[in-house]
């Protein structure tokens, strides 16, 4: 028994939490949904954002590199991943193979290295913010073996509170904060990276221009 998209959305909206006050009913008798909570402001640590970002990234198992110019990227990739032709979702990686956005997501499981350009970084957690626009294919961030993320140091914000306030977060159809590589320590307390996602995450600080 199939349910149409519209019927499904009607049921979801009907199940959302609503106000119970009679004076908040709309003209047609429906209840207005509760507004989103106000985001609090927190004090941020002093010091250089890039330094804090790097420290937190490494603490979460990520790697950090810095390049001055985009033309240094091919040589860096060849040294970091010898014999591998990466797949790239950004035109900045001229030596890599461009990602086909029409490619079946499941087929990305055989990609060793992928390159993307993050829109933002978060110093508080060492995270990078990516959306469907940066990924091209969302599965790129999970099925490949090694993920290389280009990040402009000017795009690093202090904390998560700052990310949530950006219009990019609200307008994206898909958004994710990536903090280090996939890891688990559930089995006998042994830390294993890449168990459920990328085996390594490397952030390259590289200006957009």
């Amino acid at each position: 028994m199939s349910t149409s998209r519209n019927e499904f959305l009607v049921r979801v909206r009907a199940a959302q939490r609503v106000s119970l006050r009679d004076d908040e009913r709309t003209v047609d008798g429906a209840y207005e949904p509760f507004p989103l909570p106000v985001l609090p402001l927190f004090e941020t640590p002093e010091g250089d954002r890039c330094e804090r970002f790097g420290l937190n990234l490494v603490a979460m198992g990520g790697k950090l590199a810095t390049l001055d110019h985009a033309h240094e990227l091919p040589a860096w990739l060849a040294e970091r991943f010898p014999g591998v032709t990466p797949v790239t979702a950004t035109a900045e990686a001229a030596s890599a193979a461009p990602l086909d956005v029409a490619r079946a997501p499941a087929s990305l499981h055989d990609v060793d290295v992928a390159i993307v350009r993050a829109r933002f970084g978060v110093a508080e957690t060492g995270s990078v913010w990516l959306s469907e626009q940066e990924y091209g294919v969302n599965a790129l961030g999970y099925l490949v073996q090694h993920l290389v993320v280009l990040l402009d140091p000017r795009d690093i914000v202090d904390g998560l509170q700052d990310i949530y306030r950006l219009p990019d977060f609200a307008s994206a159809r898909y958004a994710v904060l990536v903090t280090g590589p996939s890891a688990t320590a559930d089995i006998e307390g042994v830390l294993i990276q890449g168990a459920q996602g990328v085996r390594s995450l490397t952030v390259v600080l590289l200006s957009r221009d």
Side-chain angles (χ1 to χ4, degrees):
M1 181 176 175
S2 62
T3 302
S4 70
R5 177 177 179 273
N6 288 338
E7 290 175 342
F8 178 79
L9 292 175
V10 167
R11 294 182 183 180
V12 170
R13 294 187 182 105
Q16 290 180 353
R17 184 184 177 194
V18 296
S19 171
L20 298 180
R21 286 169 45 189
D22 289 337
D23 59 352
E24 293 183 355
R25 285 179 179 269
T26 58
V27 175
D28 59 1
Y31 288 111
E32 290 286 353
F34 277 99
L36 294 174
V38 177
L39 291 174
L41 288 174
F42 302 97
E43 294 184 3
T44 54
E46 297 181 356
D48 184 72
R49 285 180 182 173
C50 286
E51 183 177 352
R52 284 188 281 124
F53 173 85
L55 290 173
N56 289 321
L57 169 69
V58 172
M60 295 304 295
K63 299 178 177 63
L64 183 68
T66 302
L67 297 178
D68 294 326
H69 302 284
H71 62 71
E72 300 175 3
L73 189 57
W76 180 88
L77 288 169
E79 180 181 358
R80 178 72 176 82
F81 305 102
V84 176
T85 300
V87 170
T88 179
T90 172
E92 296 170 88
S95 63
L99 172 68
D100 180 4
V101 296
R103 180 172 179 172
S107 69
L108 294 170
H109 75 280
D110 61 354
V111 175
D112 288 322
V113 181
I115 306 167
V116 296
R117 161 69 76 174
R119 201 178 308 185
F120 301 107
V122 184
E124 177 185 3
T125 56
S127 308
V128 288
W129 188 91
L130 296 144
S131 72
E132 77 283 351
Q133 182 176 341
E134 286 73 38
Y135 273 141
V137 180
N138 293 342
L140 190 71
Y142 307 96
L143 296 185
V144 303
Q145 296 296 306
H146 306 279
L147 186 63
V148 176
V149 181
L150 310 182
L151 176 64
D152 192 323
R154 296 169 295 185
D155 292 333
I156 299 177
V157 300
D158 281 313
L160 294 173
Q161 58 176 334
D162 302 296
I163 282 287
Y164 295 144
R165 292 176 181 276
L166 294 173
D168 308 66
F169 199 97
S171 61
R173 293 185 302 166
Y174 175 88
V176 62
L177 284 163
V178 182
T179 308
S182 168
T184 180
D186 293 340
I187 304 174
E188 298 182 359
V190 178
L191 180 64
I192 300 175
Q193 292 187 350
Q196 300 165 333
V198 297
R199 292 165 54 192
S200 74
L201 172 73
T202 304
V203 177
V204 179
L205 297 180
L206 176 65
S207 297
R208 294 179 182 272
D209 50 5

